[in-house]
Amino acid sequence: MKYFKYIFQHLTVVGFFFSSVLLFSQNLKYREYDSILLNKPKEMGKNNIPREKIILWNKEMLEKMKKENYARGIIWAHINIANQSWNLGNAEESIKNLNIAESILHKNESEIDFFTIAKLYQEYSQAYYIMKLYDTGLRYNSKAGYYGNKIEDKDRKEKFLSYVYTLRANHLYEKKDLDSALYYLKQSSLLYESLSTTSQIANHYIEYQPNQNSAKIYLDQGMHIISTKKHEPNSYQISVFYYYYAQYFFKEKNYEKAIVYLNQALQYNKKLKTVDHTKNIYKLLISCYKNAGNLEKEKEYLEYYIKLKDSLENSHTKGVELSIKTIEREKTEENKSFKKTIFIYSTLVVSLILVLLVYLYYQNNKKKKVILESKEIISRKEDETKVLERRISGVHEDLIQLAKNNDISFLEKFHEVYPNVSQKLLVINPDLTKDNLAFCALIWLGFSSKDIAEFTFMQHRSVQIKKSRLRKKLNLGSDVDLYQFLKSLVDN
């Protein structure tokens, strides 16, 4: 028996060891997936690998995550595809992937970290910015900020919130809220001094609140970031910076230098093909060549611009249609949820009202029953009282008659009917005689001195003397009315 017990314990320890090793191994594998999905697309972007290839790589990772049944990995693959899609001007594909990611998030919410949730909503905000749906974009940007503030890693949180504030500023610029936009850009810069934020502050002073000197200060800071490779800016960020520098020279009417920086912007954006950004570069190039008098180049880039603009508008239209469907679906779900909530609360209210009505009905019946019982008791007591009164009245009349007849049984009968009178008197003075008690009984019954004198065959003066002696025995003054005293003693 001990041998089998030992084997069982040994197998339990071995099983626990292998399950722990398996769980640790699985967690390690998932952490590797997280790192790859987060960092690999960035590395590919820095190496100027075309966005189409980055999308293909993420699609391969998506299939792998599905086989592993790893929810966070699936979400990140969709987020990465969405990011590359809106950069390529394919808003419809971006929204489609984000919708799938969000549905997976809702099914596995307890397993998903705040950074992943925040990143998902930030990509939504970016896609809606590209589609010019700024109010919706701001709503998702607020969600991204809410979850971004919950990120535990301080460096990651600050870097992410910097990105959130920069995108928020972009939305606010489109809504003509310039002061708020600049405020968020500077907040972003305080958290993380990136080339992207520095470039946009420079652009604020070039385009929105023109101040070439202030713009130059921030452009010089941007050149310093590029030369020192601070925070390792990627090709897209450098391309955007050169585009803003070109705008600066355009304002200075130095069109040749502006064209040089625009060509550098195109060169850095060439492989990544951020379509919306390319369109902006073409538009400024057209203006530069027009002002420089180069009509041939102006026409060339005008053709590029029109072709790209048509393609983007077509994509944005599809994206907007999909977004409207998404918003309608959300509204439908909200309405369903609202109706369900109303139904639940209505049911509760109706149930409470019914319970209250039943309770009130029960209490009312109970009250009626108590009232009826009380009335019966009162009626019964009244009947008993009347009988008692008649009985007492009859007995009282007998006593009166015995007193008038000076009957020797008067005192005994008085004790039977009014026992407390003599008891109270004896408490005051235990030495009271039967004659004293009989005299007190006559007074208690309301007989006057004249009546007592008549019934007892005494002189009126003798009755007064007897009263005086009784007062002394009861310790009463001459001013005390004996009848009132005796009645107050036992008012029966």
Side-chain angles (χ1 to χ4, degrees):
M1 187 71 181
K2 287 182 180 179
Y3 176 74
F4 284 115
K5 186 178 180 182
Y6 171 78
I7 291 174
F8 177 75
Q9 289 175 343
H10 180 71
L11 288 172
T12 302
V13 171
V14 171
F16 177 76
F17 172 76
F18 277 110
S19 63
S20 299
V21 169
L22 186 64
L23 184 62
F24 175 78
S25 175
Q26 189 179 45
N27 287 336
L28 184 64
K29 180 172 63 175
Y30 286 162
R31 282 199 295 271
E32 286 176 2
Y33 287 151
D34 291 343
S35 178
I36 291 168
L37 285 162
L38 182 61
N39 298 312
K40 185 69 173 177
K42 293 178 184 177
E43 291 173 13
M44 295 170 83
K46 286 177 183 178
N47 293 325
N48 294 324
I49 293 172
R51 294 190 187 277
E52 291 87 352
K53 287 190 177 181
I54 299 175
I55 288 174
L56 285 174
W57 179 85
N58 275 288
K59 285 184 176 179
E60 288 172 5
M61 286 299 295
L62 177 59
E63 293 307 313
K64 191 171 185 178
M65 295 301 98
K66 284 179 180 178
K67 286 178 183 177
E68 293 283 349
N69 197 28
Y70 181 40
R72 185 161 60 188
I74 295 169
I75 290 169
W76 267 102
H78 280 296
I79 288 173
N80 290 342
I81 293 167
N83 178 276
Q84 299 301 323
S85 296
W86 66 252
N87 272 294
L88 286 170
N90 193 343
E92 181 185 15
E93 188 65 21
S94 180
I95 294 295
K96 192 184 292 181
N97 276 274
L98 292 173
N99 285 348
I100 295 169
E102 189 175 21
S103 67
I104 295 165
L105 166 66
H106 290 320
K107 291 174 185 175
N108 303 273
E109 206 153 356
S110 60
E111 303 171 23
I112 310 303
D113 62 295
F114 291 126
F115 176 58
T116 301
I117 301 171
K119 179 64 175 172
L120 171 65
Y121 290 128
Q122 182 69 348
E123 288 302 324
Y124 261 122
S125 180
Q126 186 67 69
Y128 284 118
Y129 174 77
I130 296 298
M131 291 186 289
K132 305 185 189 308
L133 297 172
Y134 305 118
D135 287 327
T136 306
L138 280 169
R139 182 160 57 87
Y140 278 101
N141 181 265
S142 295
K143 283 187 176 183
Y146 173 78
Y147 287 104
N149 271 300
K150 292 176 176 283
I151 297 170
E152 292 181 2
D153 185 284
K154 186 174 181 291
D155 291 336
R156 172 174 277 183
K157 176 165 76 172
E158 288 182 352
K159 188 175 180 181
F160 180 79
L161 288 176
S162 172
Y163 176 34
V164 169
Y165 293 155
T166 301
L167 181 55
R168 189 166 193 82
N170 289 340
H171 284 289
L172 290 168
Y173 277 127
E174 298 299 335
K175 290 177 70 62
K176 310 302 179 189
D177 190 352
L178 305 183
D179 291 336
S180 296
L182 182 59
Y183 167 80
Y184 280 107
L185 282 177
K186 289 188 174 179
Q187 288 295 110
S188 172
S189 186
L190 287 172
L191 289 172
Y192 188 77
E193 191 188 11
S194 67
L195 178 61
S196 176
T197 307
T198 304
S199 300
Q200 287 190 259
I201 295 173
N203 184 57
H204 176 88
Y205 292 113
I206 295 167
E207 187 175 350
Y208 298 105
Q209 291 177 341
N211 186 326
Q212 291 293 88
N213 291 331
S214 296
K216 190 66 169 63
I217 291 168
Y218 285 99
L219 288 169
D220 288 343
Q221 285 182 19
M223 287 300 288
H224 177 73
I225 291 171
I226 292 171
S227 62
T228 58
K229 296 183 179 179
K230 189 177 181 181
H231 299 313
E232 299 181 351
N234 59 38
S235 298
Y236 173 70
Q237 290 170 340
I238 296 171
S239 177
V240 170
F241 172 77
Y242 285 143
Y243 169 74
Y244 290 145
Y245 223 136
Q247 281 190 315
Y248 170 81
F249 284 116
F250 183 81
K251 294 279 184 179
E252 294 284 310
K253 297 185 179 179
N254 190 341
Y255 305 119
E256 288 184 8
K257 202 135 190 184
I259 290 167
V260 170
Y261 276 99
L262 285 170
N263 283 326
Q264 283 185 305
L266 276 176
Q267 190 63 32
Y268 274 96
N269 192 50
K270 189 174 182 180
K271 289 188 178 179
L272 289 173
K273 295 180 184 176
T274 306
V275 181
D276 205 60
H277 177 51
T278 305
K279 185 194 77 170
N280 291 334
I281 296 172
Y282 286 163
K283 188 177 181 179
L284 189 54
L285 274 169
I286 292 164
S287 297
C288 286
Y289 283 123
K290 181 180 181 180
N291 284 286
N294 192 334
L295 298 177
E296 188 178 339
K297 281 288 185 180
E298 180 193 350
K299 184 181 177 182
E300 179 186 341
Y301 280 100
L302 183 60
E303 288 175 0
Y304 293 155
Y305 176 78
I306 291 170
K307 186 178 179 181
L308 195 59
K309 185 172 176 288
D310 290 343
S311 173
L312 268 174
E313 285 179 354
N314 182 51
S315 174
H316 288 174
T317 300
K318 290 180 179 178
V320 169
E321 287 174 357
L322 182 59
S323 300
I324 290 169
K325 288 178 182 177
T326 302
I327 292 166
E328 285 175 349
R329 187 176 67 248
E330 287 177 356
K331 288 290 182 186
T332 302
E333 291 299 321
E334 285 177 8
N335 288 335
K336 283 182 180 177
S337 178
F338 178 73
K339 286 178 180 178
K340 187 177 180 181
T341 304
I342 291 294
F343 175 76
I344 290 169
Y345 280 112
S346 298
T347 304
L348 284 172
V349 169
V350 170
S351 299
L352 285 171
I353 290 170
L354 287 172
V355 169
L356 182 62
L357 288 172
V358 170
Y359 173 77
L360 290 172
Y361 177 76
Y362 171 76
Q363 288 295 323
N364 189 47
N365 282 348
K366 188 177 178 182
K367 191 176 179 181
K368 283 180 179 178
K369 188 177 179 182
V370 168
I371 290 168
L372 285 172
E373 288 176 353
S374 299
K375 284 181 177 179
E376 287 177 5
I377 291 167
I378 291 166
S379 178
R380 190 165 61 250
K381 288 292 181 183
E382 286 175 349
D383 292 341
E384 289 175 358
T385 302
K386 287 175 182 177
V387 171
L388 184 61
E389 284 175 350
R390 285 196 297 270
R391 188 163 65 90
I392 289 171
S393 179
V395 171
H396 189 80
E397 289 299 322
D398 290 343
L399 271 174
I400 296 295
Q401 196 60 47
L402 289 171
K404 287 180 178 180
N405 295 336
N406 198 23
D407 196 302
I408 57 172
S409 64
F410 165 71
L411 183 60
E412 186 180 348
K413 191 68 175 176
F414 182 83
H415 284 164
E416 287 178 12
V417 180
Y418 305 110
N420 291 337
V421 176
S422 295
Q423 288 174 9
K424 291 285 183 180
L425 287 168
L426 289 170
V427 170
I428 295 170
N429 189 343
D431 295 330
L432 290 172
T433 64
K434 286 185 178 182
D435 184 55
N436 294 144
L437 293 173
F439 191 69
C440 286
L442 289 169
I443 297 170
W444 194 90
L445 288 170
F447 291 121
S448 65
S449 297
K450 184 181 177 182
D451 293 333
I452 295 170
E454 183 183 341
F455 302 155
T456 56
F457 308 107
M458 293 173 62
Q459 294 291 329
H460 184 270
R461 179 169 175 74
S462 297
V463 173
Q464 292 298 331
I465 294 169
K466 205 168 185 177
K467 278 188 178 182
S468 179
R469 289 173 181 170
L470 184 61
R471 280 193 182 90
K472 287 181 182 179
K473 286 188 176 184
L474 295 174
N475 296 315
L476 299 174
S478 59
D479 59 330
V480 177
D481 186 283
L482 269 175
Y483 173 76
Q484 292 296 333
F485 169 75
L486 291 170
K487 291 299 284 186
S488 67
L489 195 65
V490 182
D491 194 3
N492 195 344

